[in-house]
Amino acid sequence: MTLQAGVVAVQGDVSEHAEAIERAGAAHGTETSVVEIRESGLVPDCDALLLPGGESTTISRLVHREGIAPEIEAHVAAGKPLLATCAGLILLSTDANDDRVDTLDLLDVTVERNAFGRQRDSFEAPLDVIGLDDPFPAVFIRAPVVGSVGEDVEVLATWDDRPVAVRQGPVIGTAFHPELTPDSRIHDLAFFDDVKAGVSSV
Ligand code: GLN
């Protein structure tokens, strides 16, 4: 059986996410077919979705304009897995503290954009993540942090005492970029843990 994954491709690390989910799937004996999403009509056929980083203001504008936003909401309402990274996390929040980001409210968290400031704009850190045995090499690039966290949200990782990875139902959001290292354990956690997406791990 082939897992149909979609990477929202209006901006960001599209091919890196595609490779990461393919790698994670292969480790489970699952073939993954990846479609790039720039228009409406493709998301409904996807078992799994990835929402990359980029500029949350731009991604917000485009997913709403192209009619992709309601399809992402329906995907999550159907209980299908979604991994959102960095600007993707910002877009899924309930409040990005920025009027230019029309959030999708799929993660009950508020976020602060570019929260690590200019000094530590981009950095890599070994991050303890719930569900992973060893620290994950987390690459932060002008990353947000999570502010308030709703009661249905599980904090999977913190850095400097601030949440940087969260899970709510089928949705995982990370402030960092798991697609930028060869380590695909976050994609594994999002899509193949507990036999997600209706695909059995052979
Ligand atoms: N700084 C970007 C924003 O606020 C996010 C950066 C990223 O996705 N790497 O939208």
Side-chain angles (χ1 to χ4, degrees), residues 13 54-55 86 114-126 137-144 159 175-177 180:
D13 302 322
E55 266 318 304
C86 204
N114 304 320
F116 290 100
R118 224 175 266 167
Q119 293 294 322
R120 300 183 66 207
D121 224 349
S122 300
F123 59 99
E124 185 173 330
V139 178
F140 293 83
I141 303 171
R142 298 181 59 233
W159 186 253
F176 53 93
H177 287 263
L180 291 183

Side-chain angles (χ1 to χ4, degrees), residues 169-190:
V171 182
I172 288 183
T174 68
F176 53 93
H177 287 263
E179 77 284 7
L180 291 183
T181 57
D183 189 329
S184 34
R185 285 178 296 157
I186 296 288
H187 290 73
D188 191 50
L189 199 62

Side-chain angles (χ1 to χ4, degrees), residues 129-151:
V129 180
I130 289 176
L132 303 186
D133 292 337
D134 301 307
F136 187 86
V139 178
F140 293 83
I141 303 171
R142 298 181 59 233
V145 291
V146 171
S148 65
V149 174
E151 59 179 26

